[in-house]
Amino acid sequence: MSATIRRNTRRTWWKTALGVLFTAVMLFPVYWMVNVSLTRTGDLRSDPPHWFPWEPTFEGYSAVLDQQLPALGTSLLVGLGCVVLTVVIAAPAGYALGLLHLRGGRTLNFLLLVAQMIPAVVMAMGFYAIYNKLGLLNTVGGLIVADSTIAVPFGVLLFTAFMAGIPRELLQAARVDGAGAWRSFWSVVVPLSRNSTITVSLFAFLWAWSDFIFASTLNRNGDLIPITLGIYHYIGNNTTQWNAIMATAVVASVPAAVLLVVAQRYVAAGVTAGAVKD
Amino acid sequence: MTTTPTAVGTRGAPRGAAGSRPAAPTERRRRGPTASQWAAVGFAAPLLVYLVLFYAYPLWRNVDLSLHDYTIRAFVQGNAEFVGFENYAEVFSSSTFPTALTNTVLFTVGSIVFQFAIGLALAVFFRSSFRLSGALRAMFLVPWLLPLIVSASTWAWMLNSDNGIVNSVLGAFGAEQINWLTSPDTALLSVTIANIWLGIPFNLVILYSGLQNIPGDVYEAASLDGAGAWRQFWSITFPLLRPVSLITILLGLIYTLKVVDVIWIMTTGGPGDASTTFAVWSYREAFGTGQPDFSPAAAVGNVLILVALVFGFLHLQLQRRQEDS
C-alpha cells in the first residue's frame, strides 16, 4: 500500500513542479505589486529593476495609513450595506421562486439572467440621471444601491437553486406543526440556507468593494470616496510614487486574500453556480 | 485538504436543483394554490419592487437620454429636446464607430480564445490530482478576486515604457523599448493581455468542474484500448466538455463586452481611439471628459445592450437544451 503511494508520489512530482511553475507565472503580477510596494522611491526607476525588496521600505504603507483610512472605511461601509440589501431582497425571492413556485417564475428567472448581462456603464448613466434629480449623487446610500445591482440577480438565482433542493418533508413537517409561510421561511429555510447566504454575502461584498464604474460615476466628487477611487486619484495625481500606489493596491486586495483563505469553497461554489447546470 | 470542500461545494447545488424537479408538480396540487401564491408574491415583492426601481427605471432613463439631446444645461433644467434616433445616427456615422467596432471584436475574440485555451489546458492539467494540486488551483483564483483597479494598475506599471519590468526583461534579450500603453500599435494588445490574465481563473474553475462530471471509467476504457493522452483529450474530453465549453465561452463573451475598468485604467481607450471599445466609448462620452455628453453615450450603451441580449438568448437556449438532454 505505502509502496504504491510512494511510487505514485514519485511519478507525479514533476506535475507538482510544473504546477508550481504555472502558478508562479500566473501570480507574478501579484508578486510584482507587493515587491514594488516595498521598494524605495529612489530605486523604483533603477535599471535593472529590483527583483526582490532586499531593503524594504514602508513609506508606501505609511502613506496609505495617512491618506486612505477614510476611503477604506467607506469601502467597508458600502460593502456591508450592499451585503445586507442583497440578502434581504434575494433570500425571500429565492424562497418564492424555489419553494413556493411563484407563478411567472420562469419569466422572472429569465429577466434576472438578462439583468446580469446589462453593462454597468449603461446602468451608471441611468442612475446618474436619476440621482442627479434626487440629489443622491455623491452619497454612500446611493452607491450602495447602485452596487447592489451587480449582486442581486446573482443572489436570487443562487438562493433559488439551493432552496429548490431543500427536502419537501422538512417543510411539510413544519406545516403540520402549524407554521405558516413566514414561519417556515424564518425557522426552516433560512437556517438551512446558511452556506448559500455566506456565498451570496461574500460576492456582494467583494463586488461592492471592487467596484470602480459606479464609484467613479456616481460618487466622484463625494467627501467619502471608496478605496478603488482612492487608488484611481492616486494614479492621476502622483505618477512618481508607484510604491505608494502599489501599497494601496495591496491593502485593497486584503479582503480578497482573506476570502480566499477563509472561504475558498464558497468562492468556488459561487463561480460555478451561475454557469454550470447539470 | 482544500480539494474536498471545493468539489462538494461546486457539485452540491446543481444536483440539489435538479433533484427537486420531479417533486414539484405533486406538491403544487396538494396545496391550496391561491393561498401559497399570495405568500409567494409577498416573498417576491421586495425583488419585484427592486427590479422596477433599480433596473427598469434606470434603463428607461437611459433610453430617454438616448432619444433626447441632453446637453449639460438641459440636464440641469430638464428641458432636453426630443430628437428621435438622431443620436443613434450620429453614433453610427461617427468616425469612432468603425474603430470601436474593430477594437471590440479584436478585444473580445482575442480575450476569449486565449482565456479559454489556457483555462482548458490548466483544467486538464489539474484534473489528475497530485501533491499540492488543490492548493495551487486555489491560488489561480487570486487574479479573479482582486479589485480590477488593483490588477489594472499593476499591469500598467509592469508595462510602463521606461521602468516597466516587461520592457526590462525584453531589453535583457536585446529587444528595443516597446511603448506598450502609449503606442497605437500595442495599446489594444496590452489591454487584451491583461484581460486574458484576468479571465483565466474563471475559465479554469468552470471547465475544471465540467471535467469532474466526466466519469473516470471512460478514460480507463480508452487507455485500455491504447489511446494516449493526446488522443484521449480530443476524442473524450473535448467532445464531452462541449456543452460546458459553449456556456463558458458565451458567458465570457457577455462579460468581455462589458469591460470598461481595465481598459480605462490602463489606457483610457487611447492613444486616440486605439484601444476604445464600445463600452469604453460610452463611458468616455458620459463621464470621461470634462464635457459630459450623455445622449450619444446612452445610444452607444443601448447598442451594447442589444448585442448582449443576443448572446443572452443564445445562452438561455443552450442552457435549456442542456437541461432537456
Side-chain angles (χ1 to χ4, degrees), chain B:
Chain B
M1 204 189 106
T2 30
T3 9
T4 340
T6 318
V8 171
T10 43
R11 272 181 297 171
R15 195 190 291 155
S20 74
R21 223 151 268 147
T26 43
E27 178 64 18
R28 199 182 297 169
R29 224 177 297 135
R30 208 173 300 154
R31 238 185 302 138
T34 38
S36 82
Q37 269 310 302
W38 276 116
V41 171
F43 278 98
L47 174 70
L48 299 174
V49 172
Y50 180 92
L51 286 179
V52 170
L53 280 183
F54 304 131
Y55 262 100
Y57 186 46
L59 287 179
W60 179 80
R61 277 298 278 146
N62 203 59
V63 173
D64 179 63
L65 282 174
S66 74
L67 297 177
H68 290 77
D69 184 19
Y70 272 95
T71 56
I72 306 183
R73 200 192 306 144
F75 209 83
V76 176
Q77 294 172 345
N79 58 352
E81 188 192 345
F82 181 81
V83 293
F85 286 98
E86 222 168 81
N87 286 314
Y88 289 88
E90 204 179 293
V91 162
F92 282 116
S93 60
S94 149
S95 66
T96 306
F97 186 85
T99 321
L101 180 66
T102 323
N103 287 346
T104 308
V105 171
L106 288 176
F107 178 72
T108 313
V109 174
S111 297
I112 302 280
V113 167
F114 285 96
Q115 281 171 6
F116 180 78
I118 299 173
L120 180 59
L122 286 168
V124 171
F125 174 73
F126 279 111
R127 185 179 190 276
S128 61
S129 63
F130 47 88
R131 189 174 290 211
L132 289 181
S133 63
L136 292 176
R137 201 158 40 79
M139 303 277 277
F140 264 85
L141 281 173
V142 169
W144 189 77
L145 291 172
L146 293 181
L148 280 175
I149 183 138
V150 167
S151 340
S153 48
T154 305
W155 274 98
W157 181 243
M158 283 172 51
L159 293 172
N160 183 289
S161 303
D162 300 316
N163 308 106
I165 181 75
V166 175
N167 270 353
S168 128
V169 168
L170 291 178
F173 289 100
E176 303 248 320
Q177 174 178 320
I178 300 172
N179 297 316
W180 291 101
L181 301 174
T182 47
S183 148
D185 300 327
T186 49
L188 188 67
L189 176 68
S190 306
V191 293
T192 311
I193 292 174
N195 194 57
I196 291 169
W197 182 77
L198 285 166
I200 289 173
F202 176 78
N203 283 265
L204 167 61
V205 172
I206 294 191
L207 293 170
Y208 179 82
S209 84
L211 284 182
Q212 298 302 101
N213 291 334
I214 301 178
D217 36 351
V218 184
Y219 289 101
E220 270 163 41
S223 65
L224 282 181
D225 288 347
W230 185 250
R231 191 60 208 287
Q232 285 184 17
F233 175 79
W234 285 111
S235 26
I236 301 174
T237 313
F238 202 67
L240 286 180
L241 208 57
R242 221 183 74 126
V244 179
S245 304
L246 283 176
I247 285 191
T248 313
I249 290 174
L250 217 49
L251 284 176
L253 272 176
I254 294 163
Y255 293 147
T256 314
L257 281 174
K258 300 204 284 192
V259 169
V260 173
D261 329 37
V262 185
I263 301 180
W264 186 257
I265 293 158
M266 288 178 71
T267 66
T268 63
D273 285 336
S275 54
T276 300
T277 61
F278 281 121
V280 171
W281 187 16
S282 177
Y283 182 88
R284 188 178 62 195
E285 290 287 314
F287 305 105
T289 59
Q291 291 280 322
D293 213 346
F294 284 98
S295 295
V300 176
N302 289 334
V303 172
L304 205 56
I305 287 193
L306 284 183
V307 179
L309 276 187
V310 171
F311 289 122
F313 275 109
L314 272 174
H315 174 210
L316 223 67
Q317 214 61 38
L318 274 175
Q319 228 176 26
R320 206 160 286 167
R321 207 191 303 161
Q322 225 177 301
E323 272 168 25
D324 291 343
S325 63

